[in-house]
Amino acid sequence: TALPALFWRMLAAILVFSATVSVVRGYCTQTSLPSATIINANIIMLLMVLMVLLLLLSGFCFFKQMPLYKLYLFTMVGVALLLAVAALLHLDNNYVSAIVGFLNELFNLIAWCLLAFFVFERRAGAIMVFGFGLGALTAGALAGRTVGVLLLAELNTASLVIVFVALAFLILLFAVFIFSEKSYDRIFASVDEYRLDLQSLAFMAAPVDKSRSEQNRPWIEACRRTGERSSCTSREMEVLIQLSQGRSPETIAQRLNISLNTVRTHTRSIYGKLDIHSHQELVAIVEAERKSLD
């Protein structure tokens, strides 16, 4: 499967983030005593253990409710703010190295989740996708560490402030423009949403309650007319019908055999086309359309 431009933008974001944090960690390592470097490594390991314990104790509930792109933005913005504050306030390099190192490990987790979703949703070759991902992480880490060790250690304080602030702006540029929330929606939207598997075929072959189908026909017709008037796509029309019947995004994803993020993307698009902001407004519009059919 050919890899689209979106994939290369994602790799660029991974490479830039990896290079940026490696610049900082390389500089901090070069200017720290060996004992302080060992302490930083231990702190990072402790923070990672605490994060894993938090995930286990919470049963992943918190991260199930938090979209991945929010965790991505939190990590990117956190590093950018830390770089700016560290440069302007001249924070101790040991603390900066430890915090940036932890955020780097968190970003690596996000990056591998993104690559895994890309393989699943786009049916791309796993070895190819993960190989490019690992290459971006490694290349960024190598380039950043080289710059941090060989170049930044020789700069004066004023020059370091400029470099750190520039790196912070670079991180924000990628988080907001190059690889943003819209990029996530495009990754999680299936290329072939009408792909049929055994589960879909079984669902389609299931017996239909004709009395209930006749009862729901006016409502479905109202949904269809509402969607057509707002130029909704056929898939958005299906999601609109499910939403109007009060089904949750999780149930809709299961019934239509699409990902939860795809359901959310279609929901935002439907709300935008109908110029509404809530489920109650959607139901009210469909109800008004149904009454016009009587």
Side-chain angles (χ1 to χ4, degrees):
T1 303
L3 296 174
L6 176 62
F7 176 77
W8 303 111
R9 286 167 53 192
M10 179 177 68
L11 284 188
I14 292 174
L15 189 148
V16 167
F17 185 90
S18 178
T20 300
V21 297
S22 295
V23 167
V24 178
R25 297 183 69 183
Y27 165 73
C28 293
T29 301
Q30 186 69 15
T31 57
S32 300
L33 296 174
S35 59
T37 303
I38 295 174
I39 292 174
N40 288 340
N42 292 336
I43 292 175
I44 294 173
M45 182 61 66
L46 178 61
L47 290 174
M48 292 302 299
V49 170
L50 291 177
M51 185 182 73
V52 171
L53 290 176
L54 177 63
L55 289 173
L56 293 175
L57 292 176
S58 64
F60 299 96
C61 292
F62 174 74
F63 286 96
K64 277 185 177 180
Q65 296 174 357
M66 173 182 284
L68 192 61
Y69 78 86
K70 288 187 177 180
L71 193 59
Y72 166 80
L73 289 179
F74 167 79
T75 306
M76 298 285 269
V77 173
V79 169
L81 290 177
L82 180 63
L83 292 178
V85 171
L88 297 176
L89 301 183
H90 307 293
L91 297 181
D92 186 270
N93 289 341
N94 295 327
Y95 295 113
V96 174
S97 178
I99 298 175
V100 169
F102 169 71
L103 291 175
N104 181 47
E105 297 297 331
L106 184 58
F107 180 84
N108 289 344
L109 172 63
I110 298 170
W112 288 115
C113 288
L114 283 174
L115 293 169
F117 270 116
F118 203 97
V119 170
F120 175 76
E121 292 286 355
R122 299 302 181 107
R123 296 297 188 268
I127 295 179
M128 179 172 55
V129 170
F130 290 129
F132 278 121
L134 180 60
L137 287 171
T138 304
L142 178 61
R145 196 167 189 85
T146 301
V147 172
V149 170
L150 299 181
L151 300 181
L152 295 194
E154 305 298 328
L155 298 181
N156 55 36
T157 303
S159 299
L160 280 175
V161 170
I162 295 175
V163 171
F164 274 40
V165 172
L167 291 175
F169 276 108
L170 181 63
I171 288 289
L172 291 178
L173 173 66
F174 269 80
V176 175
F177 296 105
I178 306 301
F179 194 71
S180 61
E181 177 184 351
K182 291 182 179 180
S183 302
Y184 275 85
D185 289 339
R186 290 177 58 192
I187 285 180
F188 293 129
S190 299
V191 173
D192 183 9
E193 293 179 333
Y194 293 94
R195 181 179 61 251
L196 293 179
D197 55 13
L198 291 177
Q199 182 180 2
S200 301
L201 292 173
F203 179 78
M204 294 174 62
V208 178
D209 187 341
K210 294 184 178 180
S211 61
R212 186 172 182 180
S213 177
E214 290 294 329
Q215 183 179 2
N216 289 339
R217 182 172 296 176
W219 184 265
I220 294 177
E221 177 63 18
C223 290
R224 187 185 64 80
R225 293 192 178 189
T226 300
E228 288 180 349
R229 191 165 51 248
S230 303
S231 301
C232 290
T233 65
S234 56
R235 179 59 92 181
E236 288 173 348
M237 204 90 72
E238 294 177 358
V239 174
L240 189 155
I241 293 173
Q242 300 291 324
L243 288 171
S244 71
Q245 294 174 340
R247 295 191 173 96
S248 66
E250 291 79 7
T251 302
I252 296 174
Q254 183 177 8
R255 291 176 67 90
L256 299 183
N257 193 36
I258 57 179
S259 71
L260 181 58
N261 285 279
T262 301
V263 174
R264 290 168 175 164
T265 299
H266 287 320
T267 301
R268 285 195 293 268
S269 177
I270 292 168
Y271 280 16
K273 291 180 178 180
L274 296 179
D275 193 23
I276 58 176
H277 302 89
S278 66
H279 177 261
Q280 288 78 8
E281 291 179 273
L282 173 63
V283 173
I285 290 177
V286 176
E287 176 64 23
E289 184 68 32
R290 189 196 64 80
K291 290 181 178 179
S292 69
L293 298 175
D294 295 340

